[in-house]
Every structure is written in C-alpha cells, then in structure tokens.
Amino acid sequence: MILEIRHYTLKPGLREEFIAFFEKHNRVALRDAGMLVFGPLRDLEDANKVHWMRAFPSLEARERLKNDFYEGPVWHEQIEPIAMSMIAHYEAELTETTNGFETFKGARTLDM
C-alpha cells in the first residue's frame, strides 16, 4: 500500500477554519474520488500546522486517482479556491507499507 503523509503549514490563525473545511468538504471529496483518508491531525508543537494521510493500493492507482481528482470540477470549483487560500506551505512524503504492516486495529491489510 502507498501512503502519502501530508504536512500543511497554514496562514496564521486559520487552522481551525481549515480543519472544519477539510472535515466537511475535502475529506468527503477525496473519499468520493476513491482515496482512503486519515485525518486531519493537529500538530501539538505548531498552532499553524495540520497533518493528514491518504492511502492508495499502488503507485499506478495513486497517479490515476490523483489525476482524476485534481483535473476534475470538484477540486477546481469547490475545494481549491477555499483550501489553497488558507495554506502557506505544504509538503508530502510518499511511503510504502512493509510486508508486516498493521493497521491500528492489528489487521495486516487495509481494504481499499
């Protein structure tokens, strides 16, 4: 499984607004597009940071799902204008699970 670990530094004072928007709109849109989403998570050391993750069954699926989502109307009309206006900087780490990867419940795989 491919996991993206995403780190967002938000413009000062916008973290809770970003989280509310993410939880109400962005997470739903990403899941509707076929991505498994975990988060958002508040950074405990920086009041302007949020982290979240998304999972894909393979690198090929990641490329396809991301391209479909980011080229589509939901991103361009509903998510991008609002979410990106709150973000000062973002980074993403691309990782792959190991053969012994376990979920929080101890399961060996995640259903996608």
Side-chain angles (χ1 to χ4, degrees), residues 3-112:
L3 294 174
E4 277 185 6
I5 305 167
R6 303 187 63 84
H7 311 279
Y8 288 6
T9 301
L10 303 169
K11 293 176 182 174
L14 294 180
R15 182 165 78 174
E16 294 309 311
E17 183 179 345
F18 179 85
I19 288 171
F21 179 78
F22 188 99
E23 290 177 339
K24 186 173 182 182
H25 301 285
N26 198 29
R27 183 171 51 205
V28 172
L30 291 164
R31 286 182 177 164
D32 287 349
M35 299 176 211
L36 182 61
V37 179
F38 182 79
L41 308 164
R42 287 179 184 91
D43 189 297
L44 294 178
E45 297 175 340
D46 187 332
N48 294 315
K49 283 192 175 181
V50 170
H51 311 279
W52 62 283
M53 294 176 276
R54 60 185 172 186
F56 306 89
S58 66
L59 285 171
E60 295 79 17
R62 174 182 175 263
E63 287 305 311
R64 181 179 41 79
L65 291 169
K66 284 180 59 181
N67 288 340
D68 290 349
F69 179 72
Y70 289 114
E71 292 174 7
V74 172
W75 170 252
H76 286 289
E77 297 168 13
Q78 299 172 27
I79 306 298
E80 181 183 30
I82 297 168
M84 294 307 290
S85 70
M86 292 186 263
I87 299 170
H89 176 76
Y90 66 92
E91 297 176 12
E93 298 168 351
L94 190 59
T95 67
E96 183 175 32
T97 58
T98 63
N99 288 336
F101 179 77
E102 289 187 0
T103 68
F104 287 108
K105 294 183 179 182
R108 290 280 181 187
T109 61
L110 293 175
D111 294 329
M112 296 266 323

